Short mmCIF file of all heavy atoms in Angstrom, two decimals:
data_model
loop_
_atom_site.label_atom_id
_atom_site.label_comp_id
_atom_site.label_asym_id
_atom_site.label_seq_id
_atom_site.Cartn_x
_atom_site.Cartn_y
_atom_site.Cartn_z
N MET A 172 -3.18 -18.06 -11.48
CA MET A 172 -1.78 -17.74 -11.65
C MET A 172 -1.43 -16.43 -10.95
O MET A 172 -0.42 -16.33 -10.29
CB MET A 172 -1.48 -17.67 -13.15
CG MET A 172 -0.05 -17.38 -13.46
SD MET A 172 0.95 -18.81 -13.04
CE MET A 172 2.46 -18.35 -13.76
N GLN A 173 -2.29 -15.43 -11.08
CA GLN A 173 -2.02 -14.13 -10.48
C GLN A 173 -2.03 -14.20 -8.96
O GLN A 173 -1.23 -13.55 -8.30
CB GLN A 173 -3.06 -13.12 -10.97
CG GLN A 173 -2.70 -11.69 -10.62
CD GLN A 173 -3.66 -10.72 -11.24
OE1 GLN A 173 -4.77 -11.07 -11.60
NE2 GLN A 173 -3.22 -9.48 -11.36
N ALA A 174 -2.90 -15.01 -8.38
CA ALA A 174 -2.93 -15.18 -6.93
C ALA A 174 -1.62 -15.77 -6.43
O ALA A 174 -1.11 -15.36 -5.38
CB ALA A 174 -4.11 -16.06 -6.52
N HIS A 175 -1.06 -16.70 -7.16
CA HIS A 175 0.22 -17.30 -6.78
C HIS A 175 1.34 -16.26 -6.82
O HIS A 175 2.19 -16.23 -5.94
CB HIS A 175 0.55 -18.48 -7.71
CG HIS A 175 1.85 -19.13 -7.38
ND1 HIS A 175 2.06 -19.82 -6.21
CD2 HIS A 175 3.02 -19.18 -8.07
CE1 HIS A 175 3.31 -20.26 -6.19
NE2 HIS A 175 3.91 -19.88 -7.32
N GLU A 176 1.34 -15.41 -7.84
CA GLU A 176 2.34 -14.34 -7.94
C GLU A 176 2.21 -13.36 -6.78
O GLU A 176 3.20 -12.92 -6.22
CB GLU A 176 2.21 -13.62 -9.28
CG GLU A 176 2.65 -14.45 -10.46
CD GLU A 176 2.38 -13.76 -11.78
OE1 GLU A 176 1.95 -12.59 -11.78
OE2 GLU A 176 2.61 -14.40 -12.82
N THR A 177 1.00 -13.01 -6.41
CA THR A 177 0.75 -12.10 -5.31
C THR A 177 1.22 -12.70 -3.99
O THR A 177 1.86 -12.02 -3.18
CB THR A 177 -0.75 -11.74 -5.21
OG1 THR A 177 -1.16 -11.18 -6.45
CG2 THR A 177 -1.02 -10.77 -4.10
N GLU A 178 0.95 -13.97 -3.79
CA GLU A 178 1.40 -14.66 -2.58
C GLU A 178 2.93 -14.69 -2.51
O GLU A 178 3.52 -14.46 -1.46
CB GLU A 178 0.83 -16.07 -2.55
CG GLU A 178 1.18 -16.84 -1.29
CD GLU A 178 0.56 -18.22 -1.30
OE1 GLU A 178 -0.62 -18.34 -1.67
OE2 GLU A 178 1.27 -19.17 -0.92
N SER A 179 3.55 -14.95 -3.62
CA SER A 179 5.01 -14.99 -3.69
C SER A 179 5.60 -13.62 -3.36
O SER A 179 6.58 -13.52 -2.63
CB SER A 179 5.45 -15.45 -5.07
OG SER A 179 6.84 -15.45 -5.17
N GLU A 180 5.01 -12.58 -3.90
CA GLU A 180 5.47 -11.21 -3.63
C GLU A 180 5.29 -10.87 -2.15
O GLU A 180 6.16 -10.27 -1.54
CB GLU A 180 4.72 -10.21 -4.51
CG GLU A 180 5.15 -8.79 -4.32
CD GLU A 180 6.58 -8.52 -4.76
OE1 GLU A 180 7.12 -9.28 -5.58
OE2 GLU A 180 7.17 -7.55 -4.27
N THR A 181 4.17 -11.26 -1.58
CA THR A 181 3.92 -11.02 -0.16
C THR A 181 4.97 -11.71 0.69
O THR A 181 5.49 -11.13 1.65
CB THR A 181 2.51 -11.51 0.23
OG1 THR A 181 1.55 -10.79 -0.54
CG2 THR A 181 2.24 -11.32 1.71
N ASN A 182 5.31 -12.93 0.34
CA ASN A 182 6.34 -13.66 1.09
C ASN A 182 7.69 -12.96 1.01
O ASN A 182 8.42 -12.89 2.00
CB ASN A 182 6.45 -15.10 0.59
CG ASN A 182 5.27 -15.93 0.98
OD1 ASN A 182 4.57 -15.63 1.95
ND2 ASN A 182 5.01 -16.99 0.23
N ARG A 183 8.03 -12.42 -0.16
CA ARG A 183 9.30 -11.69 -0.31
C ARG A 183 9.31 -10.44 0.55
O ARG A 183 10.32 -10.12 1.18
CB ARG A 183 9.54 -11.33 -1.77
CG ARG A 183 10.09 -12.48 -2.58
CD ARG A 183 10.58 -11.97 -3.92
NE ARG A 183 9.45 -11.49 -4.73
CZ ARG A 183 8.96 -12.14 -5.77
NH1 ARG A 183 9.49 -13.28 -6.14
NH2 ARG A 183 7.95 -11.66 -6.43
N VAL A 184 8.20 -9.73 0.58
CA VAL A 184 8.10 -8.52 1.40
C VAL A 184 8.25 -8.88 2.87
O VAL A 184 9.00 -8.23 3.61
CB VAL A 184 6.77 -7.79 1.14
CG1 VAL A 184 6.53 -6.70 2.17
CG2 VAL A 184 6.75 -7.20 -0.27
N LEU A 185 7.58 -9.91 3.31
CA LEU A 185 7.66 -10.32 4.72
C LEU A 185 9.06 -10.76 5.10
O LEU A 185 9.51 -10.48 6.22
CB LEU A 185 6.65 -11.43 5.01
CG LEU A 185 5.19 -11.00 5.03
CD1 LEU A 185 4.28 -12.21 5.22
CD2 LEU A 185 4.93 -9.96 6.09
N GLU A 186 9.76 -11.40 4.19
CA GLU A 186 11.14 -11.82 4.47
C GLU A 186 12.04 -10.62 4.72
O GLU A 186 12.98 -10.70 5.52
CB GLU A 186 11.70 -12.63 3.30
CG GLU A 186 11.14 -14.02 3.19
CD GLU A 186 11.60 -14.75 1.94
OE1 GLU A 186 12.45 -14.21 1.21
OE2 GLU A 186 11.09 -15.85 1.69
N GLN A 187 11.76 -9.51 4.08
CA GLN A 187 12.55 -8.29 4.27
C GLN A 187 12.02 -7.46 5.42
O GLN A 187 12.79 -6.78 6.10
CB GLN A 187 12.56 -7.47 3.00
CG GLN A 187 13.29 -8.15 1.87
CD GLN A 187 13.23 -7.36 0.58
OE1 GLN A 187 12.65 -6.29 0.52
NE2 GLN A 187 13.85 -7.88 -0.46
N LEU A 188 10.72 -7.49 5.64
CA LEU A 188 10.11 -6.66 6.67
C LEU A 188 10.47 -7.11 8.08
O LEU A 188 10.78 -6.28 8.93
CB LEU A 188 8.59 -6.66 6.49
CG LEU A 188 7.79 -5.79 7.46
CD1 LEU A 188 8.19 -4.33 7.32
CD2 LEU A 188 6.30 -5.98 7.22
N GLU A 189 10.45 -8.39 8.32
CA GLU A 189 10.70 -8.89 9.68
C GLU A 189 12.06 -8.47 10.22
O GLU A 189 12.13 -7.93 11.33
CB GLU A 189 10.52 -10.41 9.73
CG GLU A 189 9.05 -10.81 9.66
CD GLU A 189 8.85 -12.30 9.83
OE1 GLU A 189 9.57 -12.91 10.65
OE2 GLU A 189 7.99 -12.85 9.14
N PRO A 190 13.15 -8.67 9.49
CA PRO A 190 14.45 -8.22 10.04
C PRO A 190 14.53 -6.71 10.20
O PRO A 190 15.12 -6.21 11.15
CB PRO A 190 15.47 -8.71 9.01
CG PRO A 190 14.77 -9.67 8.14
CD PRO A 190 13.32 -9.40 8.25
N ALA A 191 13.91 -5.97 9.27
CA ALA A 191 13.92 -4.51 9.38
C ALA A 191 13.14 -4.05 10.60
O ALA A 191 13.59 -3.14 11.33
CB ALA A 191 13.34 -3.89 8.11
N MET A 192 12.00 -4.66 10.87
CA MET A 192 11.21 -4.31 12.04
C MET A 192 11.97 -4.64 13.32
O MET A 192 11.89 -3.90 14.30
CB MET A 192 9.87 -5.05 12.04
CG MET A 192 8.89 -4.59 10.99
SD MET A 192 8.08 -3.04 11.37
CE MET A 192 6.92 -3.54 12.63
N ALA A 193 12.73 -5.71 13.31
CA ALA A 193 13.50 -6.12 14.49
C ALA A 193 14.57 -5.10 14.84
O ALA A 193 14.99 -5.01 16.00
CB ALA A 193 14.12 -7.49 14.26
N GLU A 194 15.01 -4.32 13.87
CA GLU A 194 16.03 -3.31 14.11
C GLU A 194 15.48 -2.02 14.73
O GLU A 194 16.23 -1.21 15.25
CB GLU A 194 16.77 -2.97 12.82
CG GLU A 194 17.63 -4.11 12.32
CD GLU A 194 18.40 -3.76 11.07
OE1 GLU A 194 18.63 -2.56 10.83
OE2 GLU A 194 18.78 -4.69 10.35
N LEU A 195 14.17 -1.84 14.67
CA LEU A 195 13.55 -0.65 15.26
C LEU A 195 13.50 -0.77 16.77
O LEU A 195 13.45 -1.88 17.32
CB LEU A 195 12.13 -0.48 14.72
CG LEU A 195 11.96 -0.20 13.24
CD1 LEU A 195 10.48 -0.21 12.88
CD2 LEU A 195 12.60 1.12 12.86
N ASP A 196 13.45 0.37 17.45
CA ASP A 196 13.27 0.29 18.90
C ASP A 196 11.81 -0.10 19.18
O ASP A 196 10.95 -0.06 18.30
CB ASP A 196 13.68 1.58 19.60
CG ASP A 196 12.80 2.78 19.29
OD1 ASP A 196 11.60 2.62 19.06
OD2 ASP A 196 13.34 3.91 19.30
N ALA A 197 11.55 -0.49 20.39
CA ALA A 197 10.25 -1.07 20.75
C ALA A 197 9.09 -0.11 20.48
O ALA A 197 8.05 -0.53 19.96
CB ALA A 197 10.25 -1.49 22.21
N ASP A 198 9.24 1.17 20.82
CA ASP A 198 8.15 2.12 20.60
C ASP A 198 7.83 2.27 19.11
O ASP A 198 6.66 2.32 18.72
CB ASP A 198 8.47 3.49 21.20
CG ASP A 198 8.31 3.52 22.70
OD1 ASP A 198 7.68 2.61 23.27
OD2 ASP A 198 8.81 4.48 23.33
N ASP A 199 8.87 2.37 18.28
CA ASP A 199 8.64 2.49 16.84
C ASP A 199 7.97 1.23 16.30
O ASP A 199 7.01 1.31 15.53
CB ASP A 199 9.97 2.71 16.10
CG ASP A 199 10.52 4.11 16.29
OD1 ASP A 199 9.78 4.99 16.75
OD2 ASP A 199 11.70 4.31 15.96
N ARG A 200 8.46 0.09 16.69
CA ARG A 200 7.90 -1.18 16.23
C ARG A 200 6.45 -1.31 16.67
O ARG A 200 5.57 -1.64 15.87
CB ARG A 200 8.74 -2.34 16.75
CG ARG A 200 8.38 -3.68 16.20
CD ARG A 200 9.35 -4.78 16.62
NE ARG A 200 9.67 -4.77 18.04
CZ ARG A 200 10.83 -4.39 18.57
NH1 ARG A 200 11.82 -3.98 17.80
NH2 ARG A 200 11.04 -4.43 19.87
N ASP A 201 6.18 -1.01 17.93
CA ASP A 201 4.81 -1.12 18.44
C ASP A 201 3.87 -0.15 17.75
O ASP A 201 2.72 -0.47 17.46
CB ASP A 201 4.78 -0.89 19.95
CG ASP A 201 5.46 -2.01 20.73
OD1 ASP A 201 5.71 -3.08 20.14
OD2 ASP A 201 5.75 -1.79 21.92
N THR A 202 4.38 1.06 17.47
CA THR A 202 3.56 2.05 16.77
C THR A 202 3.16 1.54 15.39
O THR A 202 1.99 1.62 15.00
CB THR A 202 4.34 3.38 16.62
OG1 THR A 202 4.62 3.90 17.92
CG2 THR A 202 3.55 4.40 15.82
N LEU A 203 4.11 1.00 14.64
CA LEU A 203 3.80 0.49 13.31
C LEU A 203 2.89 -0.72 13.34
O LEU A 203 1.99 -0.85 12.51
CB LEU A 203 5.10 0.17 12.56
CG LEU A 203 5.98 1.37 12.23
CD1 LEU A 203 7.25 0.91 11.54
CD2 LEU A 203 5.24 2.39 11.39
N VAL A 204 3.09 -1.57 14.31
CA VAL A 204 2.22 -2.75 14.45
C VAL A 204 0.79 -2.31 14.73
O VAL A 204 -0.15 -2.78 14.07
CB VAL A 204 2.74 -3.70 15.54
CG1 VAL A 204 1.69 -4.75 15.90
CG2 VAL A 204 4.02 -4.38 15.09
N LEU A 205 0.62 -1.42 15.68
CA LEU A 205 -0.73 -0.96 16.01
C LEU A 205 -1.38 -0.26 14.82
O LEU A 205 -2.54 -0.52 14.49
CB LEU A 205 -0.69 0.01 17.20
CG LEU A 205 -0.37 -0.59 18.55
CD1 LEU A 205 -0.16 0.52 19.58
CD2 LEU A 205 -1.48 -1.52 19.01
N ARG A 206 -0.63 0.63 14.19
CA ARG A 206 -1.19 1.45 13.12
C ARG A 206 -1.51 0.65 11.87
O ARG A 206 -2.58 0.79 11.29
CB ARG A 206 -0.22 2.60 12.79
CG ARG A 206 -0.67 3.50 11.67
CD ARG A 206 -1.86 4.34 12.10
NE ARG A 206 -2.21 5.24 11.03
CZ ARG A 206 -3.38 5.20 10.41
NH1 ARG A 206 -4.31 4.35 10.77
NH2 ARG A 206 -3.64 6.05 9.44
N TYR A 207 -0.57 -0.16 11.42
CA TYR A 207 -0.73 -0.78 10.11
C TYR A 207 -1.10 -2.26 10.15
O TYR A 207 -1.89 -2.71 9.33
CB TYR A 207 0.55 -0.58 9.28
CG TYR A 207 0.79 0.89 9.04
CD1 TYR A 207 1.78 1.58 9.74
CD2 TYR A 207 0.01 1.59 8.15
CE1 TYR A 207 1.98 2.93 9.54
CE2 TYR A 207 0.20 2.95 7.95
CZ TYR A 207 1.18 3.61 8.64
OH TYR A 207 1.37 4.96 8.45
N LEU A 208 -0.57 -3.01 11.08
CA LEU A 208 -0.91 -4.44 11.13
C LEU A 208 -2.21 -4.69 11.87
O LEU A 208 -2.96 -5.60 11.52
CB LEU A 208 0.24 -5.23 11.74
CG LEU A 208 1.56 -5.16 10.96
CD1 LEU A 208 2.64 -5.97 11.66
CD2 LEU A 208 1.38 -5.62 9.53
N GLU A 209 -2.48 -3.89 12.90
CA GLU A 209 -3.75 -4.03 13.62
C GLU A 209 -4.79 -3.03 13.12
O GLU A 209 -5.90 -3.00 13.64
CB GLU A 209 -3.52 -3.86 15.13
CG GLU A 209 -2.70 -4.99 15.72
CD GLU A 209 -2.59 -4.92 17.22
OE1 GLU A 209 -3.28 -4.10 17.86
OE2 GLU A 209 -1.79 -5.70 17.78
N ASP A 210 -4.40 -2.20 12.15
CA ASP A 210 -5.29 -1.25 11.49
C ASP A 210 -6.00 -0.31 12.48
O ASP A 210 -7.18 -0.03 12.36
CB ASP A 210 -6.33 -1.99 10.64
CG ASP A 210 -6.96 -1.08 9.61
OD1 ASP A 210 -6.31 -0.11 9.17
OD2 ASP A 210 -8.12 -1.33 9.24
N ARG A 211 -5.24 0.16 13.47
CA ARG A 211 -5.79 1.11 14.43
C ARG A 211 -5.64 2.53 13.89
O ARG A 211 -4.68 2.85 13.21
CB ARG A 211 -5.07 1.01 15.76
CG ARG A 211 -5.08 -0.36 16.38
CD ARG A 211 -5.87 -0.38 17.65
NE ARG A 211 -5.65 -1.63 18.35
CZ ARG A 211 -5.11 -1.71 19.56
NH1 ARG A 211 -4.73 -0.63 20.21
NH2 ARG A 211 -4.96 -2.88 20.13
N ASN A 212 -6.60 3.41 14.24
CA ASN A 212 -6.46 4.80 13.82
C ASN A 212 -5.48 5.52 14.75
O ASN A 212 -5.09 4.99 15.80
CB ASN A 212 -7.83 5.50 13.74
CG ASN A 212 -8.52 5.62 15.07
OD1 ASN A 212 -7.91 5.96 16.08
ND2 ASN A 212 -9.82 5.36 15.08
N LEU A 213 -5.09 6.72 14.36
CA LEU A 213 -4.07 7.44 15.11
C LEU A 213 -4.53 7.82 16.52
O LEU A 213 -3.73 7.88 17.44
CB LEU A 213 -3.61 8.67 14.33
CG LEU A 213 -2.82 8.33 13.08
CD1 LEU A 213 -2.68 9.55 12.18
CD2 LEU A 213 -1.46 7.77 13.44
N ARG A 214 -5.81 8.05 16.69
CA ARG A 214 -6.33 8.35 18.03
C ARG A 214 -6.12 7.15 18.95
O ARG A 214 -5.71 7.29 20.09
CB ARG A 214 -7.81 8.72 17.95
CG ARG A 214 -8.41 9.03 19.33
CD ARG A 214 -9.83 9.52 19.24
NE ARG A 214 -9.78 10.85 18.66
CZ ARG A 214 -10.68 11.33 17.82
NH1 ARG A 214 -11.70 10.59 17.44
NH2 ARG A 214 -10.58 12.55 17.35
N GLU A 215 -6.40 5.95 18.43
CA GLU A 215 -6.22 4.73 19.23
C GLU A 215 -4.74 4.48 19.52
O GLU A 215 -4.39 4.07 20.63
CB GLU A 215 -6.82 3.53 18.49
CG GLU A 215 -8.33 3.58 18.37
CD GLU A 215 -8.88 2.51 17.45
OE1 GLU A 215 -8.24 2.19 16.43
OE2 GLU A 215 -9.98 2.00 17.77
N VAL A 216 -3.89 4.71 18.54
CA VAL A 216 -2.45 4.54 18.75
C VAL A 216 -1.97 5.51 19.83
O VAL A 216 -1.25 5.13 20.75
CB VAL A 216 -1.66 4.73 17.44
CG1 VAL A 216 -0.17 4.72 17.71
CG2 VAL A 216 -2.04 3.67 16.41
N GLY A 217 -2.41 6.76 19.73
CA GLY A 217 -2.05 7.75 20.73
C GLY A 217 -2.52 7.36 22.12
O GLY A 217 -1.77 7.48 23.10
N ALA A 218 -3.74 6.88 22.22
CA ALA A 218 -4.27 6.47 23.52
C ALA A 218 -3.45 5.33 24.11
O ALA A 218 -3.21 5.29 25.32
CB ALA A 218 -5.74 6.07 23.37
N GLU A 219 -3.02 4.43 23.28
CA GLU A 219 -2.21 3.29 23.75
C GLU A 219 -0.90 3.75 24.39
O GLU A 219 -0.42 3.16 25.35
CB GLU A 219 -1.93 2.36 22.57
CG GLU A 219 -1.33 1.05 22.93
CD GLU A 219 -2.31 0.08 23.54
OE1 GLU A 219 -3.51 0.14 23.23
OE2 GLU A 219 -1.87 -0.76 24.35
N PHE A 220 -0.33 4.83 23.84
CA PHE A 220 0.93 5.36 24.35
C PHE A 220 0.77 6.53 25.31
O PHE A 220 1.75 7.05 25.83
CB PHE A 220 1.83 5.79 23.18
CG PHE A 220 2.40 4.66 22.40
CD1 PHE A 220 1.86 4.29 21.18
CD2 PHE A 220 3.49 3.95 22.88
CE1 PHE A 220 2.38 3.24 20.45
CE2 PHE A 220 4.02 2.90 22.16
CZ PHE A 220 3.46 2.54 20.95
N GLY A 221 -0.46 7.00 25.49
CA GLY A 221 -0.70 8.15 26.35
C GLY A 221 -0.23 9.45 25.72
O GLY A 221 0.23 10.35 26.42
N ILE A 222 -0.34 9.55 24.39
CA ILE A 222 0.05 10.74 23.67
C ILE A 222 -1.11 11.21 22.79
O ILE A 222 -2.09 10.48 22.61
CB ILE A 222 1.32 10.49 22.80
CG1 ILE A 222 1.07 9.38 21.78
CG2 ILE A 222 2.52 10.16 23.69
CD1 ILE A 222 2.24 9.11 20.83
N SER A 223 -0.98 12.41 22.24
CA SER A 223 -2.05 12.95 21.39
C SER A 223 -2.07 12.25 20.03
O SER A 223 -1.11 11.58 19.64
CB SER A 223 -1.84 14.45 21.18
OG SER A 223 -0.71 14.67 20.37
N GLU A 224 -3.15 12.47 19.32
CA GLU A 224 -3.28 11.92 17.97
C GLU A 224 -2.18 12.48 17.07
O GLU A 224 -1.60 11.75 16.26
CB GLU A 224 -4.66 12.27 17.42
CG GLU A 224 -4.96 11.71 16.07
CD GLU A 224 -6.38 11.99 15.62
OE1 GLU A 224 -7.23 12.34 16.45
OE2 GLU A 224 -6.64 11.85 14.41
N ASP A 225 -1.89 13.78 17.20
CA ASP A 225 -0.84 14.39 16.39
C ASP A 225 0.53 13.80 16.71
O ASP A 225 1.34 13.56 15.81
CB ASP A 225 -0.81 15.91 16.58
CG ASP A 225 -1.97 16.61 15.90
OD1 ASP A 225 -2.53 16.05 14.93
OD2 ASP A 225 -2.32 17.72 16.34
N ALA A 226 0.79 13.56 17.98
CA ALA A 226 2.07 12.96 18.37
C ALA A 226 2.16 11.53 17.83
O ALA A 226 3.24 11.10 17.40
CB ALA A 226 2.22 12.98 19.89
N ALA A 227 1.05 10.82 17.83
CA ALA A 227 1.04 9.46 17.28
C ALA A 227 1.31 9.49 15.78
O ALA A 227 2.04 8.64 15.26
CB ALA A 227 -0.30 8.79 17.55
N ARG A 228 0.76 10.49 15.09
CA ARG A 228 1.02 10.64 13.66
C ARG A 228 2.50 10.88 13.40
O ARG A 228 3.10 10.25 12.53
CB ARG A 228 0.21 11.80 13.09
CG ARG A 228 0.44 12.06 11.61
CD ARG A 228 -0.38 13.20 11.06
NE ARG A 228 -1.80 12.85 11.05
CZ ARG A 228 -2.72 13.34 11.90
NH1 ARG A 228 -2.38 14.23 12.80
NH2 ARG A 228 -3.97 12.95 11.83
N MET A 229 3.10 11.77 14.17
CA MET A 229 4.53 12.05 14.01
C MET A 229 5.37 10.82 14.32
O MET A 229 6.33 10.52 13.60
CB MET A 229 4.95 13.22 14.90
CG MET A 229 4.44 14.55 14.39
SD MET A 229 5.11 15.95 15.29
CE MET A 229 4.19 15.86 16.81
N ARG A 230 5.00 10.10 15.37
CA ARG A 230 5.74 8.90 15.74
C ARG A 230 5.65 7.85 14.63
O ARG A 230 6.65 7.21 14.29
CB ARG A 230 5.21 8.33 17.06
CG ARG A 230 6.02 7.14 17.55
CD ARG A 230 5.51 6.63 18.86
NE ARG A 230 5.93 7.51 19.94
CZ ARG A 230 5.72 7.27 21.22
NH1 ARG A 230 5.10 6.17 21.60
NH2 ARG A 230 6.12 8.12 22.14
N ALA A 231 4.46 7.67 14.08
CA ALA A 231 4.28 6.69 13.00
C ALA A 231 5.08 7.11 11.76
O ALA A 231 5.74 6.26 11.13
CB ALA A 231 2.80 6.54 12.66
N ASN A 232 5.04 8.39 11.42
CA ASN A 232 5.80 8.86 10.25
C ASN A 232 7.29 8.68 10.44
O ASN A 232 8.00 8.24 9.53
CB ASN A 232 5.49 10.33 9.96
CG ASN A 232 4.09 10.51 9.39
OD1 ASN A 232 3.49 9.59 8.85
ND2 ASN A 232 3.56 11.72 9.52
N ARG A 233 7.78 9.01 11.61
CA ARG A 233 9.22 8.83 11.89
C ARG A 233 9.61 7.36 11.88
O ARG A 233 10.68 7.00 11.38
CB ARG A 233 9.57 9.47 13.23
CG ARG A 233 9.55 10.98 13.18
CD ARG A 233 9.91 11.58 14.52
NE ARG A 233 9.74 13.01 14.46
CZ ARG A 233 9.22 13.76 15.43
NH1 ARG A 233 8.85 13.18 16.57
NH2 ARG A 233 9.11 15.04 15.30
N ALA A 234 8.76 6.52 12.43
CA ALA A 234 9.05 5.09 12.44
C ALA A 234 9.10 4.53 11.02
O ALA A 234 9.96 3.70 10.70
CB ALA A 234 8.01 4.34 13.28
N LEU A 235 8.19 5.00 10.15
CA LEU A 235 8.23 4.57 8.76
C LEU A 235 9.52 5.01 8.08
O LEU A 235 10.11 4.24 7.31
CB LEU A 235 7.03 5.13 8.00
CG LEU A 235 5.71 4.41 8.17
CD1 LEU A 235 4.60 5.18 7.46
CD2 LEU A 235 5.79 2.99 7.66
N GLU A 236 9.96 6.21 8.37
CA GLU A 236 11.22 6.68 7.79
C GLU A 236 12.39 5.83 8.25
O GLU A 236 13.27 5.49 7.46
CB GLU A 236 11.45 8.15 8.14
CG GLU A 236 10.64 9.11 7.32
CD GLU A 236 10.90 8.97 5.82
OE1 GLU A 236 12.08 8.91 5.42
OE2 GLU A 236 9.92 8.91 5.06
N ARG A 237 12.43 5.50 9.54
CA ARG A 237 13.49 4.64 10.04
C ARG A 237 13.45 3.27 9.40
O ARG A 237 14.47 2.65 9.11
CB ARG A 237 13.40 4.52 11.55
CG ARG A 237 13.79 5.77 12.28
CD ARG A 237 13.73 5.58 13.79
NE ARG A 237 13.94 6.83 14.47
CZ ARG A 237 12.99 7.56 15.05
NH1 ARG A 237 11.75 7.12 15.06
NH2 ARG A 237 13.28 8.69 15.63
N LEU A 238 12.25 2.77 9.18
CA LEU A 238 12.07 1.46 8.57
C LEU A 238 12.60 1.45 7.14
O LEU A 238 13.22 0.50 6.71
CB LEU A 238 10.61 1.06 8.59
CG LEU A 238 10.25 -0.34 8.11
CD1 LEU A 238 10.91 -1.38 8.98
CD2 LEU A 238 8.74 -0.51 8.09
N ARG A 239 12.37 2.55 6.45
CA ARG A 239 12.85 2.66 5.06
C ARG A 239 14.35 2.63 5.04
O ARG A 239 15.00 2.13 4.20
CB ARG A 239 12.35 3.94 4.43
CG ARG A 239 10.89 3.87 4.10
CD ARG A 239 10.42 5.12 3.36
NE ARG A 239 8.99 5.04 3.16
CZ ARG A 239 8.14 5.96 3.54
NH1 ARG A 239 8.55 7.06 4.11
NH2 ARG A 239 6.86 5.79 3.33
#
């Protein structure tokens, strides 16, 4: 029963997440996808964009704020 509830909650989150992600600009969306959906560390995210790890951290934090 609990697994079914968790799956249902996940589906509700995804229904809201997809349109919200679509409203972000490409860099913000790509940053969040790399960081959280592909589970990359900030060094890897930074390397992908040609920026420092600290800059990747700031970009990810700002993108999360915009998403909220």
Side-chain angles (χ1 to χ4, degrees):
M172 182 70 169
Q173 192 174 20
H175 179 66
E176 289 174 5
T177 302
E178 183 178 317
S179 177
E180 181 65 23
T181 299
N182 288 337
R183 280 192 293 254
V184 169
L185 289 175
E186 287 174 6
Q187 294 177 0
L188 182 61
E189 287 185 39
M192 289 284 285
E194 291 183 23
L195 295 174
D196 67 33
D198 283 345
D199 287 345
R200 188 173 47 252
D201 291 346
T202 298
L203 294 178
V204 167
L205 290 171
R206 178 70 177 118
Y207 298 104
L208 298 179
E209 293 186 10
D210 199 29
R211 303 246 191 118
N212 64 43
L213 291 167
R214 180 174 289 143
E215 293 171 324
V216 173
E219 190 75 29
F220 288 102
I222 59 177
S223 70
E224 183 175 344
D225 287 336
R228 178 179 292 107
M229 287 188 285
R230 185 178 284 185
N232 288 339
R233 288 181 186 139
L235 280 175
E236 282 302 313
R237 288 182 187 104
L238 185 62
R239 287 185 184 125

